[in-house]
Structures are given as structure tokens and as C-alpha cells.
Amino acid sequence: MSKREVRNLLVGLDIGTSKVVCVVGEILPDGRIEVVGEGSAPSRGLKKGVVVNIDATVQSIRRAVENAEQMAGCRAQSVYVGVSGSHIKSFNSTGVVPVRNREVNERDVESVIDAARAIAIPADQKILHVVPQEFVVDGQDGIHEPVGMSGVRLEAHVHMVTGSLSAAQNIQKCVESCGLRVDKLILQHLASSHAVLMPDERDLGVCMVDIGGGTSDIAIFKGGSVRHTAVLPIAGDQVTNDISVAFRTPVPYAEEIKIQFGCALPEFAASDEMIEVKSVGEMPSRTLSRHTLAEVIKPRYDELFRFIRKELHRSDFYDVIASGIVLTGGSAQMPGVRELAEAVFELPVRIGVPQNIEGLKDVVRNPVYSTAVGLLLYGIQDQPKLVSRGGDSGGPGYLLNRVSSWFKGNF
Ligand SMILES: Nc1ncnc2c1ncn2[C@@H]1O[C@H](COP(=O)(O)OP(=O)(O)OP(=O)(O)O)[C@@H](O)[C@H]1O
Ligand SMILES: [Mg+2]
């Protein structure tokens, strides 16, 4: 394969519990991004979003990246990588600084963000994101673009995300073992939310849940900014395990029947539609109805939605998510999941698929790709030169870009 270097190339790498996906995006002259390559491989080395087997993870990454490179006809050098898992902690913080020249400039914004992030975090944690929510200038709140405003006191409200240092190092190690550099580690749900949420949903208030194999990742937005993030260790793998135990069938087969015949609402599944279920060991196969399968699947999804509802109440955001809930991730593809979620949350629910992306639409317009596509959309805002207004790294144009990208949650 002849490999060529493409300068305006971005690569997103979603190292999930079920699969590793690599997407290659080419930045078009008008700033949009076109997916030109996609590669997937089953993930063998992760548990609940965390690397537990380096060699197996490296192999999966290598396969996914090679497949994507082959399709795109290019060579990946660095990647935006998603990170998740129960080790992720998030909280809101505030910083205040005096405005030096009575007019807020980029340096003041940098200083106030630094002040907000200057809080003690445990030595085994690493700061992954400091996302500005809003600025307050002399008591006036709700400001998203403070640069140029007159005032003497600048306050910043930020959402901070930290993760286990060793978990982050292990991901980095796996990626580097494949000969790639890590551009940035990005919280998977922030990435997914970039791909599936509409600006008006973020403004009005929305809760996005990416239900994967090992974890369900929650991100709440209001007023255009992220307000709360959380990770729950319940997702599709538990549903598969329930099927495996209930029908005494091997896990790979339970996964197969879940995807082929599963339904989250028994009333949607006919009792006379029969499925053959292989048994473990030498036991003969049995036949069961789709309705019975749905009766096994429903309680786990129901439990998950009740946990999410509890998390929403705990975070005090239940009453502000007027747009409702957006479900994405592989496990959001289960038929009946939207209706079940609407019944539990008593809010409108929709299934989110990646938006704002060109190219392999048929491939990537699928909830499984939300994180990978989101990493590309996140990455494009991280390219200071692309939207440069006359400055390179460190110059005034660069700072302007940094400031504007902060508001897109990209810091
Ligand atoms: N059509 C389908 N119906 C129901 N469930 C499905 C379907 N397709 C995939 N799944 C489930 O989705 C899960 C995988 O989702 P996804 O690919 O988003 O996970 P992941 O990103 O690898 O994991 P995580 O984000 O938890 O680390 C698996 O549990 C799988 O069984
Ligand atoms: Mg995922």
C-alpha cells in the first residue's frame, strides 16, 4: 500500500470496551470535515472502559488503525483518543482575577481559567479537561465572550474533569506502542456530545447518555455549556450476561441473539416468534420466544435508566433538561429502548447519531460511531492554525483561537 502524508488530516481513536474504532477525517477547505477512512476491531483488553490487558489492546488498536489507514490511503501519525471509566471524576470550580487594564483581554481569560483550575486534586489523578461554562464581569453573569468587555473583576465558572493517572498512562502507552502520538485524551462523553447534540438542545438543557458495552457515560448541558458529567458501570455487557445466565447459553451466543432478536419492551415482541438458543456444554438447544428474551432484557435497561434518573436528581439537573434525553452508543440501538426510557424519565427521548460530518455517512451515521466522530469534531477545534487569525502558537491569533475553542468545550 502506498502511504502518503496528508497535512490536514485528523484521526479519532475510540478505544471502547466492545470495539476499537479509528476514523480518519480530512479537513475540507471550508473547515468542514470529511470522513475518508474507518476501521474497527473487536476490543479484547478493556474492562468497564479501562485497559486491563496492554497487549490485547495494542493488537486491537493496530488492527483498527491499519484498516482505517488502508481505506483512507494515508498514514496516521497522531490521534485524538477517547477516555472513560469509573475513575473519571468531575466537578465545577470557580476562579476570580482582577482585570489589569480595565478591559478584559486574552491574558485575563487565561489567568482566570488558571485560577479556577488551581485546586488540590489527589496525586494519582490527572486533569483531563477544564471547560469554561460562563464568565462573570463585575457581577454580570452569562457571558461567553468576555474579551473586550470593560470591568475590574473577572470570574470564571468551569467544569473540571479528572481521571486516574495510571489509566491515562496505560491508554497512552497502548497508542504509542502502535507508533502513534496522542494529540489529546478526550473524555468520551464530551466527544460523543459534539457529534450528536444540536446547539439548541445544549442551550435549553439536555442529558446525553452514551450506552456502550462496559459503561454508560452521562453529560448534561445547559446554557450552551457542560454542567455535569458522570460514568456508570452498567451497559450492554450486563444485558448480554443476563441473557447468558437466564438461558444458560455461552456469552458470544447471548450477544448474537441480543443483537439479532433483542427488544427492551416485551410488549413489542411477539410471543409466537421463536428463537433457537444454544445451550452450554453438551446440552441440546432449546426454543424460546422473543417475548421471553425481552423479559430478560427489559429489567437491566430499566435499572440503568433508574440509576441515571438518580444521578440526575443527585446532580440537581433533572429539572433543567427541558430538551430531554439523547441516547447514543451501541446499546442505544436496542428496539424499544427509547419508549422504555421515556416511561422512566417522563421526558422526551431521542436516539442520537453523529451529525455535521461528510464522507462515509452511511458508515458513521450510527450511534456506535458517536465517540469516534465526536473526537474528530473535537479535534478540528483544537487546530489553532486552521482558524488562525494571523498568529501561530503563542501569538495573539493563537490566543483568540484558544479563547473561542474554550467555549466549544475544547480545552
Ligand atoms: N443492534 C444492537 N442492539 C442492541 N445492542 C447492541 C446492538 N449493537 C451493539 N449493541 C451493544 O452495544 C454495546 C457496544 O456498544 P459500543 O460499541 O458503543 O461500546 P464501546 O464504545 O465499545 O464500549 P464503552 O463505551 O462502554 O467502553 C455492546 O454491549 C453490544 O452488545
Ligand atoms: Mg463507547
Side-chain angles (χ1 to χ4, degrees), residues 15 46 49-51 54 57 61 81-84 87 166-177 182 185 188:
I15 310 173
L46 273 88
V50 175
V51 176
I54 300 251
T57 307
I61 295 175
V81 184
V83 58
S84 186
H87 58 96
S166 51
Q169 282 168 343
N170 283 335
I171 288 194
Q172 187 134 0
K173 210 181 283 176
C174 292
V175 173
E176 285 171 358
S177 299
V182 174
L185 286 178
Q188 286 180 7

Side-chain angles (χ1 to χ4, degrees), residues 195-379:
V196 303
L197 295 183
M198 310 288 178
D200 53 357
E201 287 175 326
R202 290 162 177 262
D203 274 340
L204 193 57
V206 68
C207 171
M208 187 217 70
V209 189
D210 183 328
I211 318 173
T215 60
S216 291
D217 303 337
I218 304 170
I220 300 171
F221 290 79
K222 169 83 181 162
S225 311
V226 62
R227 304 287 158 173
H228 182 75
T229 48
V231 179
L232 295 179
I234 304 175
D237 286 355
Q238 266 93 342
V239 179
T240 306
N241 273 335
D242 291 348
I243 296 170
S244 170
V245 171
F247 298 146
R248 295 191 195 88
T249 188
V251 170
Y253 194 69
E255 175 75 11
E256 212 176 298
I257 57 171
K258 178 183 91 169
I259 291 176
Q260 209 174 339
F261 304 106
C263 181
L265 280 180
E267 48 270 43
F268 283 12
S271 333
D272 56 356
E273 201 178 327
M274 306 308 280
I275 318 163
E276 193 186 316
V277 183
K278 279 186 197 147
S279 296
V280 283
E282 301 284 291
M283 308 273 277
S285 299
R286 285 154 302 137
T287 23
L288 291 165
S289 72
R290 253 194 96 195
H291 188 271
T292 312
L293 177 65
E295 280 178 336
V296 173
I297 293 172
K298 181 184 172 186
R300 191 58 82 169
Y301 273 97
D302 192 71
E303 180 195 37
L304 169 65
F305 294 146
R306 282 174 204 283
F307 271 118
I308 296 168
R309 198 175 64 177
K310 219 162 148 185
E311 180 65 31
L312 285 170
H313 280 303
R314 201 181 62 78
S315 67
D316 273 343
F317 281 105
Y318 199 81
D319 297 327
V320 302
I321 48 167
S323 301
I325 313 270
V326 176
L327 301 178
T328 193
S331 298
Q333 295 179 97
M334 178 68 76
V337 81
R338 189 181 63 77
E339 292 80 357
L340 177 63
E342 277 183 342
V344 175
F345 293 112
E346 294 173 333
L347 284 168
V349 177
R350 73 171 178 91
I351 307 298
V353 296
Q355 312 278 340
N356 308 322
I357 198 90
E358 305 293 315
L360 305 165
K361 277 191 186 142
D362 294 343
V363 179
V364 297
R365 276 187 74 86
N366 179 324
V368 166
Y369 290 94
S370 298
T371 304
V373 170
L375 288 168
L376 289 184
L377 295 171
Y378 218 105

Side-chain angles (χ1 to χ4, degrees), residues 34 126 136 164 190 201 264 384:
E34 179 178 340
K126 168 190 167 75
V136 183
S164 149
L190 284 185
E201 287 175 326

